[in-house]
Amino acid sequence: MRAAITITAVAGLLAGLTTAAGATETLRWRDCGEGVQCADVRVPVDWARPHGQRTSIGLAKIPARDQATKLGPLVANLGGPGPTVAHVPRLKDSFAELTRWFDVIIFDPRGFGASRGVTCPTPSPVPDLTAWPPNREAYQAYAEANRRFAHDCTPALGSLRDKLNSWQSTHDLDAIRVALGQRELNYYGNSYGTVYGQNYAELFGNKINRMYLDSVFDHSDPDMSSWALSGPEVTEANLHRFAKWAGQDPASALRGKDVLATWDRVIAAAQRNPIPAPGAGRTVTASEIAMAAAPGFEQMWPEFAKALAQADTGDATLIATRRPGARDPDLSRIALCSDFPYDVSYDSLKRLENEARVRAPRLGWRDVWLMGYHCAGLPKIGTYPPKPIRAKHAAPALVTNGSYDHGTPPEFGKRVAAQLPGARYLSAEGGHAQYWGGRNACVRDRVHRYLVDGELPAPGTHCPA
C-alpha cells in the first residue's frame, strides 16, 4: 500500500510543480539579509491527495562563492523539528566552507517558521521538574494538560493537523529537489533532519547523489525499549567523565574529592529531605538535581562542580538558580510524536526506568522519560511510526554521531548506517551536531571529501575531539 501511495505522490509532485505550458516553476529568490536569499516551494498539504489544498515550504540559500564553478545545491535541515530559516543570516559562517562548492539551501519543515509557521494559541505544558519523573497521578495530570494543548491548537493547525509527519515532509524534500531543477539530491541532515534523510533513502533512494547524516535520530526502530535504552548509558558514561575531570582539574570546586561519592551523598540527602536553597527561598529535591545535571556539556562542568560542592554542604542555591535551557517550539512535540507514536503510558515508562536503572543507576535512567515529556496524552493521528529501512537503490551515505551525545547516541547512527546500502559510519568523539555545532575539523574534512568527491572514510575511521 505504501508503494502505491508513493508512486501517486511523485506523479502528483511533478504535476503540481508544472505550469500549464509544461515548464517547471522557477524559484523566485529574494534577499533576506546578510547575503542570504529566500524562496518558497508550493506543495500539497497531503501528498496522498496531491491535487488538493496546498501549502508552502520556506527556503534560505547561502550562495556558493563562485557560481560559475559550483557543484550545485546542497539541501540541509538542521533539526528540531523546528524553524531555522529566519536564523540562517546569523548561522551562515558555520557553512562557509561548504560554499566553496555548493549553494547551501536550508528549509523549515512544514508548519514551522518560514513554511507557513503555525502558532498554537496556548503554550504546551511544562512538567514540574522538581518531582520528575512523576508518580502515576501527576503523570496522568500532565498527559491531560498535553492533550488539552493539542486540542486547543487544532484550529490553528487547520488542514495540517494530521499532516506533520515525516512521510509528508520527506515528500516536501523531494519537491525541493524538483523545484531546484536537480535530477539527484545532495542532502545534509542534522539531528531530526536525519529522520527525513532516512525516509528519503527509502522513498526516493534512486534520487540521491550524496547524503550526509549527522547526529542521527533513529526512525528505524519500532521497539521503544531498545530505542529508549540507547541513551541512558551514554548519560551515565558522561557523569563518569565529569567525575574524572572534576576530581582532577584545578578549575573544579571538587578537585581532590571522590566526585561520584559526593554525587551519591547529595542525592541520598535530598531523597531523605529536600536540600535548602536559601538564596532561592525554597528547597531542592533529588529529582531536580538529577534533571539539572548536564554532564554531556563540558562547558558547563565548572559551574556544575561548584553547584554540587555547595549542595554537599547543605546549600542547594546554585542548583535552584541554574538557568533552564531553551524550550522547543510548541509544534515540535506534535510533529515528533506523529513520527514516534510509542507507548508512553506511565506503566510503560516506569518499566523502562527500572530497566535503565540496572545499566545507568546514578543518572542515565532519567532519559527514558523524555519521550513522555513530549508525547504524553497527545492523540495518535497522522502517524508515521518507526520501521526498518528498506532502501535497496540508495547511494552510499556518510553517517556520524558524537560519542558523548545522549540525545542521539552512537547506537542510533550505527543502527541506521547498517540499514543503508553501502553507508559508512564515522565514529567521532564529542557531542551533538559534529559538523555544524561541534565544528570537528576531522569530521569536516571527511564530510568535504565525501560530498565533493564521493570518498567515504575507511571502515573503522575515528575522529578525535
Side-chain angles (χ1 to χ4, degrees):
M1 181 65 177
R2 182 171 291 112
I5 291 175
T6 302
I7 292 168
T8 302
V10 173
L13 161 64
L14 296 175
L17 290 176
T18 303
T19 65
T24 304
E25 285 184 3
T26 300
L27 289 174
R28 295 181 176 88
W29 293 103
R30 60 188 182 275
D31 178 66
C32 49
E34 299 186 38
V36 177
Q37 299 172 353
C38 293
D40 303 288
V41 176
R42 297 278 292 170
V43 299
V45 166
D46 183 1
W47 281 99
R49 297 173 177 79
H51 299 293
Q53 189 174 350
R54 303 180 81 73
T55 186
S56 63
I57 304 300
L59 312 177
K61 177 170 69 174
I62 310 170
R65 300 177 202 175
D66 187 340
Q67 291 293 303
T69 61
K70 69 181 180 182
L71 299 180
L74 172 67
V75 180
N77 182 270
L78 302 184
T84 308
V85 164
H87 306 294
V88 170
R90 297 193 296 276
L91 299 174
K92 67 176 185 175
D93 288 348
S94 300
F95 306 103
E97 288 184 84
L98 289 171
T99 61
R100 290 173 56 191
W101 308 283
F102 303 101
D103 291 327
V104 179
I105 297 174
I106 295 170
F107 72 95
D108 283 344
R110 54 173 49 210
F112 290 92
S115 296
R116 292 198 175 179
V118 173
T119 300
C120 294
T122 57
S124 57
V126 178
D128 178 8
L129 296 183
T130 66
W132 189 270
N135 58 31
R136 184 185 301 274
E137 182 180 0
Y139 188 74
Q140 290 174 344
Y142 177 76
E144 175 58 23
N146 212 24
R147 185 199 66 77
R148 288 197 304 271
F149 150 74
H151 178 270
D152 292 346
C153 193
T154 296
L157 287 167
S159 59
L160 288 176
R161 178 176 180 245
D162 59 349
K163 306 296 187 299
L164 294 177
N165 63 59
S166 61
W167 185 86
Q168 302 282 357
S169 293
T170 300
H171 283 76
D172 296 341
L173 174 57
D174 197 54
I176 294 170
R177 175 191 64 79
V178 172
L180 291 169
Q182 300 298 304
R183 294 183 61 183
E184 294 181 317
L185 177 72
N186 293 316
Y187 182 65
Y188 163 22
N190 180 78
S191 193
Y192 207 85
T194 67
V195 174
Y196 311 136
Q198 293 163 63
N199 294 334
Y200 197 91
E202 176 162 321
L203 297 172
F204 303 102
N206 63 340
K207 304 288 179 60
I208 297 172
N209 182 43
R210 306 273 193 269
M211 179 175 286
Y212 169 55
L213 303 180
D214 188 322
S215 303
V216 168
F217 200 71
D218 182 12
H219 191 246
S220 73
D221 192 348
D223 180 5
M224 184 182 176
S225 294
S226 61
W227 189 91
L229 293 174
S230 296
E233 291 184 62
V234 177
T235 293
E236 198 79 358
N238 284 336
L239 181 63
H240 283 256
R241 285 197 308 117
F242 162 75
K244 182 178 180 180
W245 170 88
Q248 299 175 356
D249 197 280
S252 169
L254 293 168
R255 186 185 184 194
K257 294 188 177 183
D258 184 333
V259 177
L260 292 177
T262 302
W263 170 268
D264 293 342
R265 187 165 55 247
V266 169
I267 292 294
Q271 287 173 333
R272 289 191 299 270
N273 292 294
I275 299 174
R282 62 183 183 88
T283 58
V284 170
T285 66
S287 294
E288 188 174 4
I289 296 169
M291 296 306 294
F297 297 91
E298 289 92 338
Q299 67 271 26
M300 300 174 67
W301 283 358
E303 178 188 351
F304 186 64
K306 188 175 180 181
L308 189 60
Q310 184 193 59
D312 195 33
T313 69
D315 180 355
T317 296
L318 288 177
I319 291 176
T321 55
R322 282 173 65 86
R323 296 180 300 277
R327 290 185 63 198
D328 290 330
D330 291 328
L331 200 65
S332 292
R333 64 180 60 189
I334 295 176
L336 166 73
C337 302
S338 68
D339 285 332
F340 293 87
Y342 287 136
D343 176 7
V344 292
S345 64
Y346 180 83
D347 288 338
S348 172
L349 295 181
K350 195 66 180 177
R351 176 181 59 79
L352 285 173
E353 180 195 329
N354 293 337
E355 289 186 43
R357 281 184 182 273
V358 175
R359 310 181 192 186
R362 284 189 167 95
L363 183 62
W365 56 267
R366 70 178 188 185
D367 293 354
V368 302
W369 289 90
L370 292 176
M371 193 58 78
Y373 172 101
H374 294 294
C375 301
L378 291 187
K380 289 181 169 59
I381 57 172
T383 62
Y384 189 56
K387 58 180 176 54
I389 302 169
R390 295 178 178 85
K392 294 181 180 179
H393 304 295
L398 177 62
V399 178
T400 189
N401 283 62
S403 56
Y404 307 148
D405 185 359
H406 75 283
T408 57
E411 187 63 30
F412 282 5
K414 293 175 184 177
R415 200 150 54 211
V416 166
Q419 297 174 73
L420 296 175
R424 186 63 41 80
Y425 181 76
L426 174 63
S427 171
E429 183 180 359
H432 196 65
Q434 285 288 296
Y435 187 97
W436 167 42
R439 301 199 187 189
N440 184 309
C442 169
V443 170
R444 283 188 163 229
D445 175 63
R446 297 295 181 175
V447 170
H448 296 159
R449 292 190 206 179
Y450 166 71
L451 290 176
V452 175
D453 297 317
E455 178 187 340
L456 288 168
T461 299
H462 174 74
C463 281

